[in-house]
């Protein structure tokens, strides 16, 4: 009996898993197990023998059942402990930081400018970036012989031999958007046209793609005085301080008379401040829309007149946010943008990597 007890208690202690433990249970106390068979033999014993063996076998059976239960619980604990050791998740840890995106300064300035002109009754107009040379040049009183057209700074679209569709270009200004707006809506009209424009020019201060906002106001008696008020109102709202302007006579094929507009600024330690000081900074071109342009856009110049202007968004953004280097916008190296407080544009953009 003691041998039997020792054999099963040792085997139970050494059982590797619940399967082995169940096999031991069947082998010892199952219906045909070793202990059960011994209990069946009690009937053949003398009453004296049975009085001793009966309780002893029952005690042995209880002891083995207890040992089985204990071991089963221990195996279960071990399995749980192992899962806890390998599958734990520390929900008290802070989450991993994620880089926050932000608006590109050019987009932000486009929004700001649009909002200011919206307050003065100008709607935003948009149009194609690939234009026929008629919309980009002819309609703007720039004839085929005009130097601006011959100048090699226009990107011409490829034309296969025998393709006799009119030549197309990447628009060199957003003026064609305003021609289309006048054709579609007629006069009176007040629109601004922000967007990408293209010129084959690349150096320290020029990129082949840049951003422009043009403005157009046509009515029966619009004058240069209205232009001056609208522009001063705009600069003051945009820079958040009263900004003086200076108009200088100039020439554009699409306006007559034409003026270049300077804004008041100061230069100190190599940085410009707008709206103070005694210096002037040229920021835009403007004028009264040329009668030929109105005619081309289907507007009668004997009945309607108005002003137009064009301004570079990239430069406006640099002036407002103190970004002295054009590379901040177009370099794939975003350290420049981060440096000027426009962090986190860590996704390659269409303009990425012009220089690298
Ligand atoms: C500049 C400034 C300018 C315009 C753009 C314009 C548009 C229409 C009709 C007449 Cl639809 N003019 N836009 C006018 C004056 C200047 O751009 O510095 N351009 C080279």
């Amino acid at each position: 009996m003691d041998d039997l007890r020792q054999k099963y208690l040792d085997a139970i202690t050494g059982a590797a898993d619940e399967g082995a433990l169940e096999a031991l249970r069947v082998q010892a106390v199952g219906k045909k197990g070793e202990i059960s068979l011994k209990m069946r033999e009690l009937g053949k014993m003398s009453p004296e023998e049975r009085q001793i063996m009966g309780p002893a076998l029952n005690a042995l059976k209880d002891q083995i059942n207890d040992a089985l239960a204990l071991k089963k619980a221990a195996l279960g604990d071990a399995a749980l402990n192992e899962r806890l050791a390998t599958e734990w998740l520390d929900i008290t840890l802070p989450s991993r930081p994620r880089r926050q995106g932000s608006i590109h300064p050019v987009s932000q300035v486009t929004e700001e400018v649009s909002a200011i002109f919206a307050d003065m009754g100008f709607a935003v107009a948009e149009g194609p970036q690939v234009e026929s040379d008629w919309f980009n040049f002819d309609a703007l009183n720039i004839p085929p012989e005009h130097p601006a057209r011959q100048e090699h700074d226009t990107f011409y679209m490829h034309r296969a031999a025998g393709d006799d569709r009119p030549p197309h270009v990447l628009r060199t200004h957003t003026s064609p958007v305003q021609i289309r707006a006048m054709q579609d809506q007629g006069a009176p009209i007040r629109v601004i046209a922000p967007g990408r424009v293209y010129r084959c020019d690349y150096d320290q201060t020029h990129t082949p793609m840049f951003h422009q906002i043009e403005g157009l106001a046509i009515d029966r008696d619009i004058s240069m005085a209205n232009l001056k008020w609208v522009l001063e109102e705009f600069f003051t709202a945009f820079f958040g301080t009263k900004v003086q302007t200076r108009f200088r006579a100039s020439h554009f094929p699409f306006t007559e008379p034409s003026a270049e507009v300077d804004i008041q600024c100061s230069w100190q330690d190599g940085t410009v401040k707008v709206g103070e000081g005694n210096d002037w900074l040229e920021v835009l071109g403007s004028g009264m829309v040329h009668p030929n342009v109105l005619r081309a856009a289907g507007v009668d110049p004997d009945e309607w007149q108005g002003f137009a202007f064009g301004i570079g968004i990239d430069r406006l953004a640099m002036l407002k946010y103190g970004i002295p280097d054009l590379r901040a916008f177009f370099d794939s190296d975003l350290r420049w943008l981060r440096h000027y407080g426009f962090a986190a544009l860590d996704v390659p953009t269409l303009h990425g990597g012009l220089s690298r």
Side-chain angles (χ1 to χ4, degrees):
M1 187 93 75
D2 283 342
D3 287 352
L4 206 56
R5 181 192 335 273
Q6 205 54 50
K7 174 175 114 177
Y8 280 113
L9 292 183
D10 285 350
I12 288 167
T13 305
D17 53 37
E18 293 195 21
L21 204 61
E22 175 62 10
L24 280 171
R25 190 193 64 78
V26 172
Q27 191 189 336
V29 297
K31 258 188 185 163
K32 290 177 183 169
E34 210 170 348
I35 314 283
S36 310
L37 291 178
K38 284 227 178 310
M39 283 175 149
R40 268 183 229 169
E41 286 168 10
L42 286 171
K44 296 177 206 158
M45 293 179 189
S46 65
E48 294 78 20
E49 239 183 330
R50 197 182 306 138
Q51 280 234 300
I52 296 169
M53 286 302 283
L57 280 172
N58 269 329
L60 176 59
K61 189 181 174 184
D62 288 347
Q63 207 174 357
I64 289 175
N65 275 328
D66 287 349
L68 284 167
L70 263 174
K71 182 67 180 179
K72 188 168 177 174
L75 284 174
D77 281 353
L80 184 61
N81 283 337
E82 185 173 323
R83 276 188 57 188
L84 287 174
T86 55
E87 294 179 12
W88 61 270
L89 193 69
D90 187 348
I91 59 166
T92 68
L93 282 176
S95 61
R96 291 190 189 92
R98 275 199 283 170
R99 239 186 248 283
Q100 177 129 34
S102 67
I103 303 290
H104 193 281
V106 169
S107 305
Q108 184 170 315
V109 164
T110 303
E111 295 287 317
E112 290 170 4
V113 173
S114 303
I116 294 168
F117 278 101
D119 284 345
M120 295 189 278
F122 289 77
V124 171
E126 286 181 314
Q129 298 184 33
V130 176
E131 275 289 6
S132 70
D133 61 352
W134 189 86
F135 274 107
N136 196 78
F137 294 124
D138 299 77
L140 285 147
N141 198 35
I142 308 172
E145 328 78 59
H146 196 281
R149 205 151 151 167
Q150 261 72 50
E151 268 171 33
H152 34 236
D153 67 357
T154 303
F155 288 108
Y156 278 83
M157 306 304 287
H158 175 72
R159 272 276 176 273
D163 186 340
D164 54 4
R165 285 177 298 173
H168 278 63
V169 300
L170 291 181
R171 68 183 183 198
T172 58
H173 39 203
T174 58
S175 319
V177 176
Q178 292 169 303
I179 299 294
R180 289 173 181 277
M182 282 189 277
Q183 285 184 340
D184 295 348
Q185 298 164 229
I189 188 173
R190 260 181 276 177
V191 287
I192 56 164
R196 294 189 174 129
V197 298
Y198 303 84
R199 292 188 198 171
C200 189
D201 199 354
Y202 186 39
D203 60 33
Q204 289 224 310
T205 53
H206 297 86
T207 51
M209 189 280 292
F210 57 103
H211 303 82
Q212 197 193 21
I213 290 191
E214 288 209 2
L216 175 77
I218 305 289
D219 212 319
R220 297 193 183 274
D221 55 3
I222 286 196
S223 72
M224 291 286 275
N226 300 127
L227 171 66
K228 187 166 167 68
W229 181 85
V230 163
L231 290 180
E232 283 184 353
E233 193 73 5
F234 162 69
F235 286 123
T236 299
F238 181 75
F239 289 106
T241 175
K242 179 75 194 143
V243 179
Q244 303 293 331
T245 62
R246 184 172 77 170
F247 280 54
R248 281 179 294 104
S250 184
H251 174 266
F252 302 108
F254 26 85
T255 45
E256 183 60 35
S258 304
E260 281 175 315
V261 179
D262 304 338
I263 53 175
Q264 175 198 12
C265 74
S266 71
W267 273 105
Q268 252 162 28
D269 309 321
T271 53
V272 227
K273 285 217 183 79
V274 173
E276 60 170 56
N278 301 312
D279 282 320
W280 296 99
L281 193 68
E282 182 192 327
V283 285
L284 63 74
S286 63
M288 296 300 290
V289 178
H290 196 289
N292 290 351
V293 176
L294 292 173
R295 247 189 303 274
V299 171
D300 181 0
D302 293 328
E303 208 179 325
W304 306 99
Q305 63 181 36
F307 65 73
F309 62 87
I311 187 166
I313 300 175
D314 311 270
R315 253 239 299 176
L316 270 187
M318 292 165 75
L319 282 173
K320 178 160 179 177
Y321 294 107
I323 303 169
D325 197 317
L326 200 60
R327 280 176 290 186
F329 297 148
F330 301 103
D331 207 291
S332 57
D333 186 340
L334 293 165
R335 279 174 297 182
W336 289 102
L337 268 190
R338 247 177 251 126
H339 182 73
Y340 300 120
F342 283 95
L345 277 159
D346 285 330
V347 229
T349 67
L350 192 61
H351 347 291
L354 280 173
S355 59
R356 259 158 263 249

